[in-house]
Structure formats: structure tokens, C-alpha cells
Amino acid sequence: MSILPAMSRQGHHRSPNLILPTSLPTSPKKRQQNGIHLIRDKDVKDHHQQKNIKELSKEETATYQNSFKHSICIEMLRQGYHKSFSELFTLIHKWNALRDAGGPGSAIWQQKPLEEQHEKLDQLQHFLTRAEAAQRSGYYEEVYKNQFALAQYFKKVDDQWLSNHFYECCFQTAKQIKTDGGRKEAEANANLATMAEEHGQLEKAAAHYEAFYHLTVGRIWKDETGRTHNSLACENLWRIYTLLSDKMLENKEWQQAIKTLIKALDMAREGCDKKMEGEAAYQLGLAHISSGNPQIAIKYLNTYMEISKRLKDNVGLGKAYEAMAKALESQGKIVESIEYLENFIEVAKTSNLSQSLAETCICLGDIFNARGNYEKACQYFSQAYETAVNLGEVSLLEETQVHFGIAKAHRMMLAVSRHTEAADYVSMEYLLAWKKNRSDMFSDPANVVSLAPIEADSSKVCGNGEKLETALKNSE
Amino acid sequence: MANVNPLSNPKGVKRQCELCGSPAYVQCSGCKVTYYCDVGHQRTDWTSIHEKICQLLIPVRTPAPFLNSAAERAHAVDQLLQRKKHLIELTTKEAQRLLYEGHHVDAIPAATHSLSFSVDVYGLRSVELVPVYLILAEANIGLGHLTQAEEYLSHAYWTVLKSTDCSNSIRSKLHRNLGLLYSAKGEFEESLRHLSNDVYFASTVSGPSQISTSGGFFHMANIFFRQNRMDIADSLYSEVTDIWHAHLSRLVEVQIQASLRSVTVWFDDADQEYLDENQEAEALQVLSAIYDIREQAPKKEPNKMAKILHALTMLFFLSRDFNKASEWGKKLLPMTEQLARDDQSDSIAVLIENIEGKLNTKQVAYQQDT
């Protein structure tokens, strides 16, 4: 066999071809056949000699050649982790599909594709293969643990979509764990519910929390902080039900909301949390008031009042008085309602609850205003105004300004109309005088006496008028 | 057949055997452009491919006549190219068919022709060569010529590595063949690496749970089985069974729905999805192999048995072999009775009912004929 360099004439006779000669094997016999291997069943000679050039192994070259995703997939498949491979592959595929569906400009379009995030792929490979190994030998708890770790990891790196996916996986796995009496299943339900709540899917969250609740009834399982699972379930259910009812109230579905709130109240009672119970009762009271059922509302509000009193929760008490007054007002028992409110003002003053105090003053002022007792209305509104000034809260300040202005205007209106009705000379003079300087002389009961105090008073009232105007502008 | 003597050839002309390239002593009397070293090679070529392309070779191999105008010359070149492409298509198809039918020896000359024309038309480096290399390699593996097969596969592998526009389905096929080769040689690790690549590329085409991917899984399972890593093999076999089961169920569903719609089902819908011959053969091979393994396993798991039996029954139903289908169905029924009822048992009941229905109509037709 000739190993001399290719100097044969045949090579030169050919049409010049730049690529061909380099790739041809050294045997001239083969070159004639244009590199095709024909049948060699006669005098077969194997020209293959093992050349011991070992620089890189095949695995190493493959890692240089292929993408990271490719290498990871091959790594898993080689060890027989085909389920992990399918899972990873499908996840990447789904993510890309989601991205395409979102189109350019959507939030997901800006994110880095999953296949380029090597850290995440590494984590996926690690835990998925371990989960699969555990699954093969039937240790579902181990599977659960690994999937849970993945879910936690993705939650930590703020990948909602993936953590959601793995919480779902945990849930599916937990269903198959029979030995622990459903503890894992309960936990998986709680996790799913938390995720659903974060995404604003309240109905789904409620369903999962209900499952969590049913699974934990009568159990003494505790979480890391030492709280029983069941009380956790009660609290969460109470919260979800309250949120749900809020939504229903917004849509004016009173009966639905009341039903949900009753469930919330039951949960709160079962969770043995007085504060929650009070809240639920209060919400129920409010719902009954808006659905036009003050009688029942009063019953619930009484419960709330008692609980607040026992917990020494003055804010709660204030809210209770206020709601109670509203309920009584809509029943037409104004006197009692006023009584409650005045009660509360006392409470608020002593316990220094400026916010509630201002609100209640407004409330009382409103009532007196509506009943035509402008004098008293003015008095309460001014009290509210002062409190608001002390609080320094702009929105509240503006609100009280408007209320105060309206009440003052009402008070003035009475005197003006009286003078207009009288229609005698003195009254006319009076009205004209007022028109000229626009001072607050009608509000003075002894208005006939002199103009001097009126002038003195005018600056303050004018100030009030301006306040009213600015407040109105602001509130627009 | 006419004899030629190498010594009487015109100067500078070397006549070579079509198959082995050694000096020719025999000429084909049909086309007069093909030579062989002896009658044996001529006969081999004839049965494989030459019968089909004898006359087609004449215009390709006779020297082009002298043409005056440039347009005519260009036309002649173009025509020659078209003829060669036609030959490539014909020979590749023929080789593939022979391979499917299991005639490995006959497939090789056809594939060799295809390869030589492909090199002629597309050049040594083109991706078009890869399918032909794969046919040759498969035939050689079938014949046990592993060195030869490895050579072809290395060529194919190199071509694929160098090219950038190679489709993933071809890559998948290449790696499957490489995997099979190394598995035949007993190099399991290498084989697993290639089969993994096969699965990966097949998945990029259609997804990980499609029948095109299941072949890779099946071969991997076989290797794990031979390595005695039973839990992995078992899991993979289940995966393959699931893939086929899902696919067949969908087809059966379509067919049963179709038969409900119209009373006569003698004509299939043209657009209806069905199993082609290759898929049918693959399904039969894979599923029977898994069934045998499950049957021989020391510990039988009834739900896995039921699944594979169900898949086999569906396969025979789809290939219209109703006698066999009913036979497998009878094996399936006692299995399902052991298991808890689920939605599968309903579909099994419907399937068996359908099979019995077909059998009865067949018998009635037979009786009417006689």
C-alpha cells in the first residue's frame, strides 16, 4: 500500500477541484471510484486502522457542539430518565408557545427563554431526575419532596409560571401518598390555594382551602411555627370568603354575599379567633344593611360590639357604633341612632381616636343636616373640621370643609327665605345690605341689632366661603 | 450478455464491474453500457435494480453528442441532470422497499446506484446523501457487516455534522441507526448516547410523546433490559406502550365514529388518519416484543398487561385482521375483569363489540358466497 503523497497523474488530469483532493482517502484505488464504497465481497481489505489520537472524548466534543439544553436532555436520557426529559422538553415547548401566543410587546416576550437560563435548567435536571428515581421505586414522598423543592426554587427566583406548574405536580403526587393520612395532600392543597390567591383566582383558592380544611379537620398536624393546620385553614378560608363577599357586594349580589359571609363567620368561630369573628359579624351587619335588612344587621352588629368591647378595640367599637347608627337610621329610629353616635364620640375622645372621631362627627352632622337642625349640624361639622386640621389629612380636611360649608349655607338659607317672605321695608334693606357686603348677618339670631359685629364676623365667614369653593374645586 | 476482454478495450478506457470495480469481463446486452466482472454480480444487480433501470442508463452513460449552439448544450446538460435525478429517486425508493421487505442483500446494489448518482449530482458533501447512507447502513447491519455499516454511518454522521441545513428527522434517523449499530457491537454506553440523541431530535420534530419518538425509547429500553437495569427498562417499556396505546386509541376512536355515522364502511375517508405500512410493522414488532417481555416477567402486573393487550387488539383491529383481533381480545377480557372499572373498560367493551360485529358480517358474507 502506497503511503506516498498523492503525486499520481490522475489527480492532475482531473478538472481542478479545490475540495475534493483533501478529503479523499490516501488509497489511489478509491480515488478512482469517486469516494464511493462499492461492494467488496472479493478480497476485502479493511483499510481502517485504529489511530490512537485521543484528544477529546465524544461526550466532550458533543458538549462543545450542542446547545446546553441539548446536552442536558442527552445527559438525562442516557441514564434512562425519560420522564424527566419529557417534562423538561414539554415545559420549554409550552413556554415558547406561550411566548408566541403573547406576541411581541407582551411581558413574556421580554423574558429570557427558559432554554437559555442554564441555572434553572440545572435545577430542573437535578430535582426531576431525583424525583423520577424515587418514583420508579415507589417512594412518592421523596417525589413530593423533590417537586416541592422545585416549586420553592422557582418561587424564590420569581418564576410564577413554573412554580405554579410544580405546585400542581406536588398536588398530583400528594394524592398518591396514602401512608400519612392525607397530610401531604392537605399541604399541597394549601400551597395551590395560596398561589391561586396570589393570582386573584378567588374561587379556585376557596375550593383548595376547603379541601385543605376538610383534610385537616380533627387532626393535630402543625406547621413549622407550631400552628395547627386546621386553624390555619380556618383563617385562610375566612379571609377568602370575606374577599369573595366583597366582590359580590360590589356586584350587588346581596344574598350570595350574605351566604358567603355566614360561612366566613362559621370559619372564624371554628378557628376560635374572636377578632376574626367580630370582623365577620361586622361585615355581615354591613351586608344586611345594604340589602335593606336592618333588623338582622343590628343583631350581628351587637355581637361585634360585644366582641370589640371585650377586646378593648375602640376602633372596632367606633365602627360598630357607626354601623349601628346607620342601621337604626334606615329603620327610622333617629333618636337612638344619635344616641349611639354621641356614645361613640365620648369613646373616641377618651381614647384619642381622631380619625374615627372626625368620621363620626361628620356622620352626626349629616343626620342633623338631613333633619333640618342646621345649628347642631354646623356644630358637629366644625368639630370634625377641627379634628381634621389636627390630623393634617388633606382628603379628610377637604371633606369636612365641604360638609361644613353646606351646613352653613343651609343655616343661612333659612334666614334669607324668612326675610324674603316677610317682604317689608326693613327686611328688604337688610337683604340689600347683605348683598352689598356678603357678610354672614343672617346666621346671627339677633340680626337686627347692629352692623358692627356683623362686619367683624364677616372676615371669618368669607374665609369659610372661600374654603367651600376651593374644597368644591378640589373634590371635582 | 456479451463477453468482453479487458485487453481489447480501446486505449485509455477502463471497464469496471458495476458492483465491485474490478476489471470487467461481461457486458449487459440490454443497455450495452454496463459491465460486470462475472455473471454472479450481473445476476445480483439484475434482481436488485438493473432490471428497472437498464434502459434508463443508456442516455446517461453514452457520451453526449456534439451540439452547435450554446442553448442546445445547456438544454442537454439540463436534461442529463433531470434524468439523473429521476434515477436517484427511483433507485432510492426501490432500495427502501427492498429493505422494508427484508431483502437486505438485494437492497445494497440499488442503494449503491443511488449513492453514486447522488454524489454525481449533489456532490460528496450534501445532505441528500445521508438517507442513502442510512439505507446502506441498515442493510449492512441486517447482514451483520458491522464494519461496513459503521463506515457508511460515519460518512453520514460527518456529512450531517458539517452541514447546517439538515432536518431534525434525518438527524434522528441517523442517530437511531448509529445506536442500533453500537448496540449490535455491544457498546452499550455509546449506543445509549446515540439513541438519546435520536429521542431528542425526534422530539424536536413532533414532541416527546409521539410514535416517531417511541422507537428511540424502545431501543433504549432494550439496552437497559440487556444491562439488567430492569426498573428503567420497565419504565421505558411502559412509556412506549402508553404512546402506542394513545395513538391507536385515537385511530380506533375515529374509525368507530366513522362506522357509526354511515352503515357501510367499505370506503375510508381520504383525509382520515391511518397507520401506514411501516408504522404498522413497527407497531407489531414493538408491541409483540413488549408483550413477550411482560409475559415472561416473574411478577405480572395486570394493569400493564391489560394495556399492552389492549394496544395489540387495537392494532389488529386497525389492520383489519379481525380473527387475530378477537383472539387477543379474548386474552384481554379476563385481564380487565381483575382490574377496577374505569373509562378504559368502556372503550375496551366497545372495541370488542365492534370486532365481533365485523367477524359476523364476514362470516355472513362468506356463507352467502358459498
Side-chain angles (χ1 to χ4, degrees):
Chain A
M1 187 172 46
S2 140
I3 46 161
L4 285 172
M7 286 290 286
S8 72
R9 251 190 278 151
Q10 281 162 336
H12 292 286
H13 279 305
R14 288 216 183 147
S15 56
N17 191 333
L18 287 175
I19 326 162
L20 216 57
T22 53
S23 74
L24 281 173
T26 39
S27 152
K29 224 181 188 177
K30 272 190 189 167
R31 191 177 299 168
Q32 284 173 354
Q33 293 158 7
N34 218 1
I36 304 163
H37 301 275
L38 301 177
I39 288 185
R40 289 203 248 124
D41 53 349
K42 289 179 182 165
D43 61 73
V44 180
K45 266 187 200 161
D46 191 10
H47 295 294
H48 281 260
Q49 284 175 330
Q50 283 286 317
K51 284 183 187 125
N52 286 325
I53 307 166
K54 271 241 158 133
E55 283 149 352
L56 284 173
S57 72
K58 283 181 180 171
E59 286 81 10
E60 282 166 328
T61 43
T63 42
Y64 285 111
Q65 258 166 15
N66 301 329
S67 64
F68 189 75
K69 167 193 165 200
H70 189 152
S71 313
I72 271 199
C73 288
I74 299 301
E75 188 63 34
M76 288 194 289
L77 278 169
R78 271 178 63 190
Q79 290 157 17
Y81 294 117
H82 65 101
K83 285 202 179 104
S84 313
F85 160 74
S86 301
E87 175 102 38
L88 182 74
F89 198 88
T90 323
L91 277 177
I92 291 175
H93 199 76
K94 259 193 202 160
W95 193 92
N96 288 340
L98 272 181
R99 184 167 186 265
D100 287 343
S106 59
I108 196 171
W109 194 265
Q110 311 294 336
Q111 284 172 31
K112 212 169 164 191
L114 188 58
E115 58 213 72
E116 286 168 24
Q117 302 187 33
H118 296 183
E119 169 73 24
K120 282 186 187 174
L121 290 183
D122 271 335
Q123 293 283 341
L124 276 170
Q125 186 204 8
H126 179 72
F127 287 111
L128 278 177
T129 48
R130 282 172 58 166
E132 194 179 343
Q135 194 183 1
R136 268 191 218 137
S137 33
Y139 296 131
Y140 285 105
E141 270 149 74
E142 193 64 29
V143 179
Y144 178 87
K145 217 184 270 170
N146 282 304
Q147 283 169 340
F148 189 68
L150 270 178
Q152 295 283 34
Y153 167 75
F154 284 116
K155 201 173 180 185
K156 206 176 73 200
V157 298
D158 200 27
D159 194 328
Q160 297 246 335
W161 184 70
L162 277 172
S163 67
N164 242 359
H165 173 86
F166 284 107
Y167 277 126
E168 284 283 350
C169 288
C170 283
F171 180 55
Q172 299 301 336
T173 315
K175 275 189 197 162
Q176 306 198 8
I177 303 177
K178 301 285 174 215
T179 48
D180 66 349
R183 177 171 180 168
K184 284 274 186 298
E185 195 180 342
E187 282 173 16
N189 263 312
N191 289 330
L192 272 183
T194 322
M195 288 308 281
E197 195 187 337
E198 272 170 32
H199 289 259
Q201 301 160 317
L202 292 180
E203 279 86 2
K204 201 178 154 199
H208 283 299
Y209 273 133
E210 272 163 23
F212 181 43
Y213 169 75
H214 288 304
L215 283 166
T216 51
V217 164
R219 304 276 187 172
I220 46 159
W221 299 324
K222 285 179 181 168
D223 62 3
E224 305 88 56
T225 55
R227 232 179 125 186
T228 62
H229 275 147
N230 197 26
S231 79
L232 206 66
C234 288
E235 188 196 321
N236 283 315
L237 265 178
W238 165 77
R239 193 180 62 247
I240 293 289
Y241 283 143
T242 315
L243 286 173
L244 267 176
S245 71
D246 281 351
K247 226 181 212 172
M248 290 168 185
L249 286 176
E250 256 171 45
N251 300 333
K252 303 211 160 42
E253 297 160 348
W254 312 122
Q255 290 314 314
Q256 282 285 337
I258 286 170
K259 260 184 212 160
T260 325
L261 279 169
I262 288 174
K263 276 199 236 167
L265 186 63
D266 288 344
M267 278 301 126
R269 274 194 195 132
E270 212 170 319
C272 298
D273 190 327
K274 280 289 165 197
K275 195 163 161 51
M276 269 162 33
E277 194 183 332
E279 276 301 307
Y282 173 62
Q283 294 282 352
L284 250 177
L286 286 189
H288 275 297
I289 290 174
S290 11
S291 70
N293 225 340
Q295 196 59 49
I296 306 170
I298 288 169
K299 195 181 94 197
Y300 284 115
L301 288 172
N302 270 326
T303 337
Y304 182 44
M305 235 186 288
E306 269 165 36
I307 292 172
S308 300
K309 266 181 198 157
R310 205 178 311 155
L311 293 175
K312 302 218 177 351
D313 176 10
N314 281 328
V315 183
L317 199 58
K319 281 200 307 199
Y321 280 134
E322 192 183 334
M324 191 66 117
K326 222 178 260 170
L328 288 169
E329 191 189 337
S330 62
Q331 267 191 322
K333 297 176 182 165
I334 306 293
V335 188
E336 284 166 49
S337 141
I338 292 170
E339 205 172 287
Y340 270 111
L341 287 173
E342 278 167 351
N343 254 344
F344 170 67
I345 288 180
E346 290 312 308
V347 175
K349 270 181 189 160
T350 51
S351 54
N352 204 12
L353 292 171
S354 309
Q355 182 82 29
S356 325
L357 181 64
E359 271 164 22
T360 321
C361 284
I362 292 174
C363 195
L364 261 175
D366 253 350
I367 292 171
F368 283 118
N369 201 8
R371 288 165 55 103
N373 194 342
Y374 302 122
E375 200 60 43
K376 271 217 149 151
C378 271
Q379 193 188 321
Y380 278 115
F381 279 134
S382 83
Q383 204 175 351
Y385 175 68
E386 272 155 30
T387 332
V389 168
N390 287 338
L391 266 176
E393 198 178 303
V394 179
S395 63
L396 188 67
L397 194 65
E398 280 168 356
E399 200 186 332
T400 48
Q401 277 171 355
V402 175
H403 280 302
F404 195 21
I406 292 171
K408 260 215 153 134
H410 276 146
R411 198 170 63 168
M412 243 149 86
M413 203 56 201
L414 268 179
V416 173
S417 51
R418 198 168 60 239
H419 281 291
T420 324
E421 271 162 26
D424 54 3
Y425 181 73
V426 187
S427 312
M428 284 301 182
E429 281 284 296
Y430 228 89
L431 282 171
L432 274 174
W434 176 73
K435 253 201 112 181
K436 267 180 196 158
N437 59 16
R438 301 244 167 195
S439 59
D440 185 18
M441 50 212 230
F442 294 111
S443 58
D444 195 352
N447 47 22
V448 220
V449 189
S450 69
L451 282 172
I454 298 166
E455 301 257 310
D457 202 15
S458 70
S459 64
K460 184 185 158 196
V461 180
C462 273
N464 261 340
E466 271 163 29
K467 264 186 215 159
L468 176 59
E469 270 165 30
T470 48
L472 279 173
K473 253 183 231 159
N474 286 339
S475 59
E476 268 166 18
Chain B
M1 184 175 92
N3 288 326
V4 288
N5 193 336
L7 289 178
S8 61
N9 282 345
K11 201 178 179 190
V13 174
K14 277 192 173 173
R15 299 213 160 104
Q16 294 171 343
C17 173
E18 188 81 2
L19 295 189
C20 65
S22 44
Y25 292 91
V26 179
Q27 182 189 35
C28 170
S29 53
C31 57
K32 295 194 177 5
V33 290
T34 322
Y35 300 90
Y36 301 98
C37 61
D38 62 8
V39 186
H41 273 181
Q42 189 187 16
R43 195 161 293 138
T44 315
D45 196 23
W46 183 263
T47 48
S48 164
I49 187 71
H50 194 70
E51 186 182 0
K52 307 243 170 33
I53 58 167
C54 185
Q55 295 303 312
L56 296 174
L57 285 173
I58 301 174
V60 179
R61 289 197 172 159
T62 44
F66 181 74
L67 294 167
N68 283 321
S69 75
E72 273 179 7
R73 284 196 289 274
H75 178 69
V77 169
D78 190 47
Q79 208 173 23
L80 188 64
L81 192 70
Q82 289 305 322
R83 285 199 168 121
K84 281 180 181 167
K85 279 189 178 164
H86 176 64
L87 270 170
I88 293 171
E89 200 182 313
L90 193 84
T91 45
T92 316
K93 220 184 230 168
E94 194 61 23
Q96 190 73 64
R97 189 184 63 80
L98 288 165
L99 199 62
Y100 281 141
E101 288 172 6
H103 305 301
H104 296 298
V105 186
D106 291 344
I108 290 178
T112 319
H113 274 94
S114 166
L115 185 62
S116 68
F117 284 119
S118 301
V119 170
D120 203 16
V121 173
Y122 301 110
L124 259 177
R125 238 156 226 81
S126 64
V127 188
E128 277 84 355
L129 261 56
V130 176
V132 191
Y133 278 136
L134 293 182
I135 294 174
L136 277 167
E138 211 175 322
N140 274 310
I141 293 177
L143 290 173
H145 299 163
L146 295 185
T147 330
Q148 197 89 5
E150 188 173 7
E151 193 171 322
Y152 285 122
L153 284 176
S154 315
H155 271 282
Y157 196 24
W158 181 244
T159 315
V160 166
L161 277 180
K162 294 291 271 185
S163 79
T164 47
D165 56 344
C166 179
S167 80
N168 279 344
S169 51
I170 286 188
R171 282 174 205 261
S172 142
K173 265 189 204 151
L174 168 68
H175 282 292
R176 186 168 305 178
N177 277 308
L178 278 164
L180 287 177
L181 169 78
Y182 286 115
S183 134
K185 285 173 84 179
E187 296 173 22
F188 291 134
E189 279 312 309
E190 195 61 20
S191 169
L192 277 178
R193 195 167 70 84
H194 283 296
L195 287 173
S196 307
N197 271 302
D198 165 31
V199 169
Y200 177 79
F201 284 121
S203 302
T204 53
V205 177
S206 52
S209 50
Q210 292 296 322
I211 50 168
S212 53
T213 322
S214 73
F217 281 140
F218 176 68
H219 294 305
M220 285 179 81
N222 283 339
I223 290 177
F224 284 119
F225 188 75
R226 281 164 70 180
Q227 285 183 330
N228 214 10
R229 289 153 82 177
M230 286 305 171
D231 51 342
I232 304 176
D234 182 62
S235 155
L236 277 164
Y237 282 133
S238 308
E239 176 77 19
V240 175
T241 319
D242 286 348
I243 291 172
W244 276 106
H245 188 270
H247 189 75
L248 292 171
S249 298
R250 209 174 59 238
L251 294 183
V252 165
E253 178 85 359
V254 168
Q255 206 161 70
I256 289 177
Q257 288 296 323
S259 69
L260 284 180
R261 242 182 290 127
S262 54
V263 186
T264 51
V265 275
W266 304 113
F267 304 103
D268 289 329
D269 289 338
D271 56 339
Q272 191 178 311
E273 206 186 342
Y274 61 94
L275 283 179
D276 65 27
E277 279 175 13
N278 300 335
Q279 288 170 341
E280 210 175 292
E282 191 187 341
L284 186 60
Q285 185 203 340
V286 166
L287 292 175
S288 342
I290 297 178
Y291 173 74
D292 289 342
I293 289 165
R294 293 256 186 265
E295 180 80 8
Q296 283 157 17
K299 206 179 93 199
K300 288 198 180 73
E301 288 163 84
N303 54 348
K304 285 178 181 168
M305 273 312 262
K307 198 146 206 183
I308 185 89
L309 280 169
H310 188 194
L312 274 165
T313 316
M314 287 193 288
L315 178 64
F316 284 117
F317 174 74
L318 285 172
S319 53
R320 298 180 171 276
D321 192 344
F322 299 118
N323 283 319
K324 271 208 164 155
S326 130
E327 205 176 288
W328 285 99
K330 276 177 194 133
K331 282 191 200 172
L332 171 62
L333 274 179
M335 280 287 169
T336 49
E337 276 157 19
Q338 292 176 24
L339 297 170
R341 274 191 68 84
D342 55 1
D343 49 339
Q344 277 303 321
S345 34
D346 289 340
S347 69
I348 291 174
V350 171
L351 175 68
I352 286 176
E353 203 173 287
N354 258 280
I355 294 169
E356 296 303 324
K358 300 266 182 184
L359 270 178
N360 287 337
T361 47
K362 236 184 180 178
Q363 273 167 4
V364 169
Y366 180 72
Q367 278 161 7
Q368 280 171 351
D369 279 355
T370 54

